[in-house]
Amino acid sequence: MEGPKKMTLATQLLAWYYKNGRDLPWRRDKDAYKIWVSEIMLQQTRVEAVRDYYTRWLDRFPTPAALAQASEQEVLTYWQGLGYYSRARHLLAGVREVCAEYGGRVPDNPALIQRLPGVGEYTAGAIASIAYNQVAPAVDGNVLRIFSRLFCLEEDIAKTATKRAVERLVMQHISRQCPGDFNQALMDLGAMICIPRRPRCPLCPLADLCEAYRREVQDMLPVRAPKKAPQLVTLAAGVVQRAGKFLVQQRPATGLLAGMWEFPATEMGAGDVAAAQLREKFRCELQQTVEIEEKILQCRHTFSHRQWDIAFYRCQWLAGDKLREQACWLGKTELGTVPWAGPHHKMALALAERLPNK
């Protein structure tokens, strides 16, 4: 079966792609920088959610040089809402390296691309193949799923050995003439047909080549060890208004949501009382005296390994000394100028709608 598959897989896949491929804004030219931006945005994020962010990003940062000159805070603000903010920091660092080391042109060698901050094997392969027509695999979750079914692989796709086996299979079957189109065709096949649950096998251009479909085990593949449930963390945050402005602080430069802005918050332990914890937070860390009033918002926000259950409380400002450097008062027009930490963005948006123009 290997011989026929090798001769027909790319041909059948590309014929389907040229007729049914998605019309995506980052596919309208072969600019390596634009492809890089799109691939980083698409990590852990749905295509439909990325479209507007991508357009807005390129309006502000149309070239590597434009992005390299921007501040990290501005970059994070434009990234606001996409999550996983280390992606934006790495993209900024990588573009600055491209400008410093490669004259502003993204290199065409996958190995050199992969040396850039935040660029892994998949992203390097995608950029090299799509922008420069290099024969390079771009193996992500979609491709692992597709090839696990095509070849009925029963090994855990989270394991490195399985990923390497799939990479070898991709290299055996990738189109030498159109490697970028081949990789994008796999992306679309995984998004539209060979989906995680209830794959649409009767519509698949590779159904006649799929070993899992032949054995009727496609719903059982790929094999993946179950993920651990994210750790639940309970927090309380205080929303303090004074003269039409709100007290906010910047998170530490390292760790979760590094450098992002938030309403002063404290992690709650079993039996803790929110009012007491918040009063202590404001008094000890911010040298402000406040009175805790009613809860105004509660929401959950899931990160990769933890989930925040956060309650926001309206607080009355009573007194306070000069704020330390990491804290400040923001008015309505300023609430949209800083990158917010997770669910704090939701609170900031609600406040901006309620606060009169000043």
Side-chain angles (χ1 to χ4, degrees), residues 151-164:
F151 294 90
C152 214
L153 304 179
E154 298 180 353
E155 293 79 14
D156 183 353
I157 62 170
K159 292 183 176 179
T160 301
T162 308
K163 183 179 179 182
R164 297 299 178 223

Side-chain angles (χ1 to χ4, degrees), residues 231-250:
Q231 176 191 4
L232 181 62
V233 180
T234 304
L235 302 101
V239 180
V240 183
Q241 184 175 6
R242 180 189 180 195
K245 294 189 175 185
F246 294 90
L247 179 56
V248 299
Q249 65 179 154
Q250 190 174 28

Side-chain angles (χ1 to χ4, degrees), residues 213-336:
Y213 183 52
R214 186 183 71 81
R215 299 184 191 181
E216 299 184 345
V217 295
Q218 64 271 24
D219 289 326
M220 301 171 62
L221 296 173
V223 174
R224 182 192 290 273
K227 291 183 178 180
K228 291 183 180 179
Q231 176 191 4
L232 181 62
V233 180
T234 304
L235 302 101
V239 180
V240 183
Q241 184 175 6
R242 180 189 180 195
K245 294 189 175 185
F246 294 90
L247 179 56
V248 299
Q249 65 179 154
Q250 190 174 28
R251 291 177 64 86
T254 59
L256 179 67
L257 298 170
M260 309 294 280
W261 290 83
E262 64 183 2
F263 298 96
T266 182
E267 197 169 304
M268 306 290 291
D272 286 347
V273 177
Q277 290 291 98
L278 277 175
R279 275 195 294 268
E280 188 70 5
K281 166 84 174 183
F282 280 98
R283 185 181 68 83
C284 293
E285 294 189 23
L286 297 163
Q287 291 79 53
Q288 305 294 306
T289 304
V290 302
E291 182 58 43
I292 313 302
E293 299 180 342
E294 76 272 20
K295 185 191 300 183
I296 55 176
L297 176 68
Q298 182 158 3
C299 57
R300 287 199 174 190
H301 189 93
T302 302
F303 303 96
S304 55
H305 300 297
R306 66 178 62 189
Q307 183 182 67
W308 280 3
D309 184 352
I310 184 167
F312 293 88
Y313 292 84
R314 188 190 314 279
C315 301
Q316 181 184 359
W317 183 85
L318 300 176
D321 298 326
K322 183 179 179 181
L323 294 174
R324 62 178 187 173
E325 186 178 346
Q326 290 81 6
C328 66
W329 296 91
L330 293 183
K332 177 177 181 177
T333 58
E334 299 165 310
L335 290 175

Side-chain angles (χ1 to χ4, degrees), residues 128-140:
S129 63
I130 299 169
Y132 299 120
N133 212 39
Q134 298 284 332
V135 178
V139 177
D140 65 352

Side-chain angles (χ1 to χ4, degrees), residues 78-92:
Y78 272 81
W79 198 270
Q80 182 76 61
L82 279 173
Y84 300 95
Y85 290 91
S86 60
R87 294 181 297 169
R89 291 189 178 91
H90 287 147
L91 179 57
L92 176 59

Side-chain angles (χ1 to χ4, degrees), residues 102-116:
Y102 302 103
R105 180 182 183 273
V106 180
D108 57 11
N109 185 312
L112 293 179
I113 300 173
Q114 195 176 330
R115 292 178 189 173
L116 298 171

